[in-house]
Amino acid sequence: MASQKKSLAKKLTFLLISLLALSPTPKVFAEQPDPNSKDDFFEMSLEELMELPVVVSASRQTQKITELSVPVSVITAEDIHYSGITTIPEILQFTPGVDVRRFDRSRYGVGVRGLLSRISDRTLVLINGRAANDFIFGAPDWSTLPILMEDIERIEVVRGPSGAAWGANACTGLINIITKKPEDILGYFGSTTINEFGDSYTHIRWAKKRGKWSWRLSAGYEDIEDSDAAGAGKYESGVPAALNSLIDYSSYTTQDVMRNWRFDSEATYRYSDRTKWSFGAAHSYFKSGSNEFVGYFPQSDDMSSLTRTFTRIDHKFNDKITAYLQWYGKFLVSHWPNSIARYKNDEHHLEGQLNFILADKHNISIGGNLSLLRADISRGNNANELVFAGEPYSEQWGGLFLIDRFEATKRLTLEGQIRGDLHSETDEDWSMRASAIYGLDDAKDHTLRFSVARAFRMPGIAMRTNTKSSVFGLFQILPIQKDLGNEKVWSFETGYTGKLTKELTFRADGYYQRFEGVLGARNVVTMFGVTNSTFDNIDGATAYGAECELAFENSKGKLSAWYAYNGFTTDQFEQGIRAMWPAKHKAGLTARLFLPDGWTFNANYAYNDVIGAYNNILIGAHAFNRLDLTIAKEIADGKGEIMIGVSDLLCKTNKAITDVGALTAHETPGRMFFARVQLRF
Amino acid sequence: MFLRNKHQEMRIRAYNLTILVLVFSIAVTSSMAQADTAQSREYQIKAAFLYNFIKFVDWPEEKTADSNEPITIGIIGKDPFGDAFEPIKNKPVKGKKVIVRRFKSLEELKKSGEGNKSDKHPQIEAIRKCHLLFICRSDKNNLEEIIDLVKDYSILTVADTQGFLEANGIINFVMEEKKVSFEVNVTAAKRAKLKIRSQLLRLATRILEEKNSEGKDS
């Protein structure tokens, strides 16, 4: 009897192995649109049917990536998937011209062409075209964004002023995170990543389509240990470095732990072939350890609860006219036990856009938005705190835009974008972009681009309404002496995009930018050694540089290499711009190989130069080389995948990086080995 | 205990053979199903392309004068689309219903006497009333003859056969890295009094024009 059972077990094993061996293996595990939903093909545009890389962030219209009025790099779902990376800023590090610096385990500064800090308000961040920046401080808090990595369809990184299409603060660039449509990821999905130090990142998802409805529900949990626990954490002083010898850092321990619960959902109801209603809600509950602000820790044991909601109606009047109308809201509640008892910020945005084709040659988009913000910040008991006047506090603003993409001749396309903005508390302002895109051949495989653009940066509410912040009497931020004006930037650009062969593409972009009325801090040291800092519009600055990228891609894999030179200089010596300059030299390499039997190898490399200002290296903004390697294997007939990898192989620890406005910083972990398991069914 | 009699051996062999046949059948069926699925997917996409082409092509007024008349997609030859066009039943284009009509191959029409263009057989008349005619690969040897048959009737001819543009066809599908793309013969379109909009032309991987081919292979 036992032998019969054994024999049966052997046969079943043989059967299973044979089935596994003989079953067709999908080439890639990274999610692609569902090929079996034939109704969807008729909903697709020609570009989508041709699987052409298209982007929407350049001018709010779906366009071929080779014919854009501004350079755009696209990080695809496949790039994210095979990198094994679990944070958005770290994947952005491998994109041409993007500066990313990590201040602690969960806090990053991200700036397109530099000018970053934790409050990088010269780069606008969007999620599905909806603002993700916090309008109090002006920048997104990356870790609190309620979005999960494997839900991202692509990230479009626009290099250059994009205010004419998207409004204030898209000065140096724009990052638009676009999530996957429910119908492209039907079924159940689970993923968990764990590294050698015990950090974990888990994501589960369910997406379904029933009749006219489709929906996606995602939930995730992220747990990050502090830098000490991960073998790093050595403290050092920022400016002045001489303080290092006076302070006993041995008593300092890092507290940059982070726990984050995220939920994200989206549902679509296709009322008819012409009308679609979609809505969604997302939430993140974030708890983190200390965060320094000019020598003290207002955000010790910080708790942030961010909710994002939206509802949107898309309507197609006919083949030439489409429109959408949407409302979205952001609701942030934050608690900083050491300083602010409650920080509450509600935003409401109403936005619409009408697209139509005129005389067969003009692709026109017109639209606008109305926004309302209401903030309520309650004081805590600690004297060392950020203080805002006039709570509860509210502001309103709005803008109108017009975009015309005119196909003047078979080879020449002219694109004009213009936008005007009104704001209840700051100056009215305008943005524009005018471009000529010329095809060197009829198929436009080789195109030249010339553009001139203008954008502006609005002073953040915190900057305008801050009444007083002080640190141990040595440093204090004083209220503004006069109304702050907008910072303005003019940009002159040229570029070439070429499809050299079916698989090989090359692009090169150059720019010269002039900033006027740069918003920064004017510092005065008194005779008692106290530094008084006041926000002000301080003179101008100039940025210049170029980026180029060569990419080879086919069904067997991908190889791309890029180099960026991003120069920057201010009119005044040591002018306080409240941001780090860009790293002058940056380079990167991505290699991906789809091997037989469901194996995939991926390598990402990035080099960033030191961040310098007037030949002085800002403390902590060191040069770095980062190399990430992963190898993934499909399992369970392509329904699962196991990945092992290492991030930042070349550096055991990352040197301390002092954020703008901070006095001390500590190392963060570098090399980390990790494993990931994913299942999809 | 471990010794088996002949009868048991036979049963075990038969059992093993059954498993082997089963595994083999599953493997073969699975690969065939995969091939079928791949082909089916390719033509589902091509069907959607045809549907999209209608949006970006303007026919002369005489071809679209009757506002109640649907837009007709004709398929001549061995139809590879299957039920790929099912979803368009309720998806009008330019305010008109879209219908699909299937026709025998030219050889079969000829055999039945319907292929003689001097004749006024209903099938030929019906083909000439189409707005778009997809010529299947089964008729690749009759391309020029079919194109000649419809050239004066403002019909957008489409195929997925090499050399179609050179045979005066208007749009030809090509596969690149398992992705569907297309090429356009602008001169043939003009000859057929069709206006192809720039939104469609800019996506073509090759554009063929009279005298010299200005386009280039991508």
Side-chain angles (χ1 to χ4, degrees):
Chain A
M1 191 71 182
S3 73
Q4 274 181 344
K5 277 185 179 172
K6 218 171 175 178
S7 171
L8 186 66
K10 273 172 76 178
K11 286 186 180 84
L12 282 172
T13 311
F14 168 70
L15 184 67
L16 281 172
I17 291 171
S18 309
L19 280 172
L20 275 176
L22 291 167
S23 299
T25 309
K27 194 182 295 164
V28 290
F29 187 77
E31 286 157 328
Q32 309 289 323
D34 178 18
N36 299 315
S37 178
K38 67 184 171 196
D39 282 31
D40 292 340
F41 292 133
F42 289 91
E43 299 294 332
M44 289 180 177
S45 65
L46 283 168
E47 286 89 346
E48 287 172 316
L49 286 167
M50 293 174 81
E51 298 179 53
L52 293 174
V54 290
V55 295
V56 295
S57 306
S59 58
R60 307 183 74 110
Q61 298 174 349
T62 304
Q63 290 171 349
K64 276 173 80 175
I65 198 165
T66 49
E67 295 172 22
L68 302 174
S69 58
V70 59
V72 179
S73 289
V74 177
I75 301 167
T76 63
E78 203 174 274
D79 293 330
I80 294 168
H81 176 81
Y82 289 110
S83 72
I85 286 172
T86 54
T87 72
I88 297 169
E90 294 197 21
I91 192 76
L92 288 166
Q93 207 158 41
F94 300 104
T95 311
V98 181
D99 284 79
V100 179
R101 299 281 166 158
R102 185 171 64 189
F103 302 119
D104 66 26
R105 298 290 324 268
S106 61
R107 296 182 175 96
Y108 297 85
V110 178
V112 174
R113 290 173 176 164
L115 307 187
L116 73 152
S117 72
R118 241 202 100 191
I119 304 171
S120 304
D121 58 349
R122 291 173 174 95
T123 294
L124 183 66
V125 179
L126 310 168
I127 299 175
N128 293 317
R130 297 183 276 272
N133 288 38
D134 174 340
F135 283 89
I136 297 279
F137 291 101
D141 192 343
W142 291 94
S143 296
T144 63
L145 296 181
I147 192 164
L148 289 137
M149 293 298 280
E150 290 278 344
D151 283 346
I152 299 173
E153 167 61 34
R154 65 184 190 275
I155 302 174
E156 298 181 359
V157 179
V158 182
R159 293 188 296 276
S162 307
W166 300 99
N169 293 12
C171 274
T172 57
L174 175 91
I175 296 168
N176 192 4
I177 303 159
I178 294 162
T179 55
K180 291 172 180 168
K181 293 174 194 163
E183 54 266 37
D184 288 343
I185 45 169
L186 298 177
Y188 298 91
F189 171 82
S191 170
T192 191
T193 307
I194 187 159
N195 71 18
E196 59 178 314
F197 300 113
D199 303 337
S200 68
Y201 186 95
T202 302
H203 175 191
I204 53 170
R205 182 180 67 213
W206 175 47
K208 192 167 173 62
K209 185 177 180 184
R210 178 176 289 172
K212 292 181 173 184
W213 286 93
S214 59
W215 63 86
R216 166 176 65 83
L217 299 173
S218 277
Y221 174 66
E222 187 177 12
D223 187 333
I224 291 180
E225 301 304 317
D226 63 53
S227 292
D228 279 331
K234 185 187 161 195
Y235 265 90
E236 62 180 79
S237 168
V239 182
L243 284 176
N244 277 321
S245 58
L246 303 174
I247 300 171
D248 177 18
Y249 286 113
S250 62
S251 61
Y252 282 47
T253 55
T254 58
Q255 301 163 49
D256 50 341
V257 292
M258 197 266 279
R259 312 273 182 270
N260 199 332
W261 290 262
R262 294 184 177 95
F263 169 77
D264 189 17
S265 65
E266 182 181 345
T268 301
Y269 177 73
R270 291 182 185 278
Y271 178 75
S272 69
D273 285 344
R274 293 172 181 272
T275 308
K276 182 176 81 174
W277 173 43
S278 45
F279 58 93
H283 179 76
S284 81
Y285 182 81
F286 168 94
K287 291 184 86 170
S288 68
S290 66
N291 171 42
E292 188 195 319
F293 180 77
V294 282
Y296 72 107
F297 297 87
Q299 284 179 253
S300 177
D301 297 324
D302 175 21
M303 181 284 288
S304 285
S305 163
L306 174 66
T307 303
R308 292 174 60 89
T309 54
F310 81 95
T311 180
R312 169 173 164 146
I313 292 176
D314 287 81
H315 185 71
K316 184 177 174 181
F317 293 92
N318 56 44
D319 292 336
K320 291 183 177 179
I321 306 174
T322 61
Y324 78 77
L325 182 67
Q326 71 173 349
W327 165 86
Y328 67 96
K330 286 194 291 174
F331 309 95
L332 175 70
V333 177
S334 194
H335 180 220
W336 305 355
N338 275 9
S339 58
I340 294 172
R342 190 179 63 150
Y343 171 107
K344 193 168 175 292
N345 170 16
D346 296 348
E347 287 172 34
H348 299 267
H349 304 267
L350 183 66
E351 184 185 272
Q353 181 172 329
L354 176 71
N355 309 303
F356 56 96
I357 297 168
L358 201 65
D360 198 26
K361 289 195 178 293
H362 293 267
N363 280 281
I364 296 172
S365 298
I366 57 170
N369 72 289
L370 281 172
S371 298
L372 165 71
L373 176 142
R374 188 180 160 87
D376 187 357
I377 302 167
S378 307
R379 291 182 58 163
N381 294 322
N382 195 314
N384 298 325
E385 63 184 81
L386 297 162
V387 181
F388 297 92
E391 298 102 18
Y393 182 86
S394 66
E395 293 192 352
Q396 305 83 38
W397 66 95
L400 291 171
F401 61 83
L402 167 66
I403 296 163
D404 181 6
R405 188 174 172 88
F406 169 45
E407 293 183 12
T409 68
K410 194 186 282 183
R411 291 190 178 191
L412 178 66
T413 302
L414 302 172
E415 187 179 296
Q417 305 178 1
I418 190 154
R419 180 184 166 109
D421 279 278
L422 289 174
H423 197 287
S424 65
E425 309 301 318
T426 66
D427 300 340
E428 65 273 16
D429 217 323
W430 61 283
S431 312
M432 61 81 72
R433 173 169 285 274
S435 304
I437 302 127
Y438 182 73
L440 298 173
D441 57 333
D442 281 352
K444 290 188 181 172
D445 284 343
H446 302 270
T447 56
L448 291 175
R449 177 182 65 87
F450 305 93
S451 299
V452 56
R454 183 193 194 272
F456 68 92
R457 171 191 175 208
M458 191 178 70
I461 295 170
M463 209 179 249
R464 281 183 275 120
T465 62
N466 178 56
T467 54
K468 187 179 180 183
S469 302
S470 66
V471 184
F472 311 126
L474 292 174
F475 183 95
Q476 52 187 5
I477 299 173
L478 300 178
I480 52 171
Q481 302 298 308
K482 58 181 173 28
D483 286 347
L484 296 177
N486 291 336
E487 177 179 309
K488 298 165 178 68
V489 58
W490 278 94
S491 181
F492 304 91
E493 307 161 6
T494 185
Y496 162 78
T497 306
K499 190 176 173 188
L500 307 180
T501 70
K502 281 179 188 172
E503 295 157 331
L504 190 66
T505 55
F506 177 73
R507 74 170 304 147
D509 298 287
Y511 66 96
Y512 171 87
Q513 290 170 352
R514 179 67 199 158
F515 293 79
E516 294 294 344
V518 171
L519 281 162
R522 198 180 290 283
N523 297 323
V524 177
V525 181
T526 67
M527 59 187 291
F528 304 106
V530 176
T531 302
N532 287 331
S533 186
T534 315
F535 295 122
D536 206 347
N537 294 95
I538 307 169
D539 223 330
T542 304
Y544 46 90
E547 294 102 10
C548 61
E549 183 171 22
L550 185 68
F552 176 87
E553 191 165 7
N554 66 13
S555 58
K556 293 188 178 72
K558 171 182 177 177
L559 182 66
S560 72
W562 58 267
Y563 168 76
Y565 176 86
N566 299 127
F568 185 81
T569 182
T570 52
D571 291 355
Q572 289 183 39
F573 186 75
E574 294 194 347
Q575 182 179 322
I577 60 166
R578 298 289 302 161
M580 291 185 182
W581 289 22
K584 257 187 190 170
H585 301 278
K586 293 185 276 285
L589 187 76
T590 294
R592 184 173 313 127
L593 202 54
F594 298 116
L595 302 164
D597 303 320
W599 290 90
T600 304
F601 168 77
N602 193 82
N604 281 323
Y605 167 78
Y607 165 76
N608 270 218
D609 200 2
V610 294
I611 290 179
Y614 293 107
N615 300 320
N616 292 323
I617 298 168
L618 290 179
I619 298 302
H622 304 276
F624 69 81
N625 287 280
R626 176 168 171 159
L627 176 64
D628 288 15
L629 300 174
T630 65
I631 182 102
K633 169 78 172 95
E634 286 178 10
I635 55 170
D637 194 17
K639 291 187 166 60
E641 186 191 75
I642 294 175
M643 172 185 279
I644 54 167
V646 56
S647 56
D648 211 355
L649 177 65
L650 306 175
C651 306
K652 189 172 184 311
T653 57
N654 284 315
K655 290 180 179 172
I657 295 173
T658 314
D659 190 11
V660 172
L663 293 181
T664 61
H666 59 75
E667 288 177 329
T668 55
R671 183 164 57 241
M672 283 191 180
F673 289 90
F674 65 90
R676 184 180 78 186
V677 181
Q678 293 193 337
L679 286 173
R680 192 173 64 218
F681 50 92
Chain B
M1 193 168 180
F2 296 102
L3 293 176
R4 296 170 181 145
N5 60 31
K6 199 176 173 182
H7 185 65
Q8 280 175 320
E9 284 288 338
M10 289 280 283
R11 274 180 54 193
I12 289 166
R13 277 184 195 171
Y15 189 67
N16 283 345
L17 191 66
T18 311
I19 287 176
L20 203 63
V21 168
L22 186 67
V23 169
F24 183 74
S25 312
I26 290 170
V28 170
T29 319
S30 157
S31 3
M32 283 171 66
Q34 196 193 21
D36 281 352
T37 307
Q39 192 186 2
S40 152
R41 181 176 188 270
E42 179 188 328
Y43 279 94
Q44 282 165 11
I45 292 172
K46 285 178 178 173
F49 266 97
L50 297 183
Y51 175 77
N52 267 288
F53 289 160
I54 297 169
K55 296 178 187 173
F56 298 106
V57 172
D58 293 322
W59 278 266
E61 208 176 320
E62 62 265 24
K63 192 83 177 180
T64 52
D66 185 354
S67 58
N68 295 322
E69 195 186 354
I71 291 172
T72 308
I73 297 175
I75 299 167
I76 184 166
K78 192 181 171 190
D79 177 13
F81 289 98
D83 62 352
F85 286 104
E86 282 295 307
I88 64 164
K89 280 181 181 169
N90 301 313
K91 290 182 192 291
V93 181
K94 296 176 176 173
K96 291 188 169 194
K97 203 176 163 188
V98 180
I99 60 165
V100 179
R101 292 203 60 180
R102 291 165 171 89
F103 302 97
K104 294 176 195 169
S105 71
L106 190 66
E107 290 297 328
E108 288 173 285
L109 289 174
K110 274 179 180 174
K111 277 179 196 166
S112 62
E114 292 165 345
N116 185 342
K117 59 182 172 180
S118 60
D119 288 344
K120 296 283 182 189
H121 283 286
Q123 287 282 293
I124 300 295
E125 286 303 302
I127 289 172
R128 287 171 172 163
K129 280 184 181 169
C130 290
H131 295 80
L132 187 155
L133 183 67
F134 182 84
I135 304 168
C136 303
R137 282 182 195 158
S138 59
D139 267 58
K140 67 179 178 186
N141 296 326
N142 304 314
L143 289 178
E144 288 181 3
E145 207 171 333
I146 294 170
I147 290 165
D148 193 45
L149 201 65
V150 300
K151 69 178 182 188
D152 299 324
Y153 294 86
S154 297
I155 294 174
L156 178 69
T157 51
V158 185
D160 53 359
T161 307
Q162 204 174 3
F164 183 65
L165 296 196
E166 286 71 19
N168 285 319
I170 299 175
I171 296 182
N172 189 40
F173 286 120
V174 284
M175 295 294 286
E176 290 182 352
E177 286 288 328
K178 296 185 180 175
K179 292 175 186 174
V180 181
S181 55
F182 61 91
E183 48 191 23
V184 180
N185 183 338
V186 175
T187 311
K190 280 179 191 162
R191 218 176 276 140
K193 296 179 192 167
L194 300 176
K195 190 186 168 199
I196 298 182
R197 293 188 196 165
S198 57
Q199 293 100 313
L200 185 63
L201 284 178
R202 72 185 175 88
L203 296 174
T205 53
R206 186 169 71 117
I207 295 171
L208 194 68
E209 286 201 80
E210 204 165 42
K211 291 178 187 171
N212 54 341
S213 310
E214 287 184 18
K216 56 177 225 35
D217 293 325
S218 59

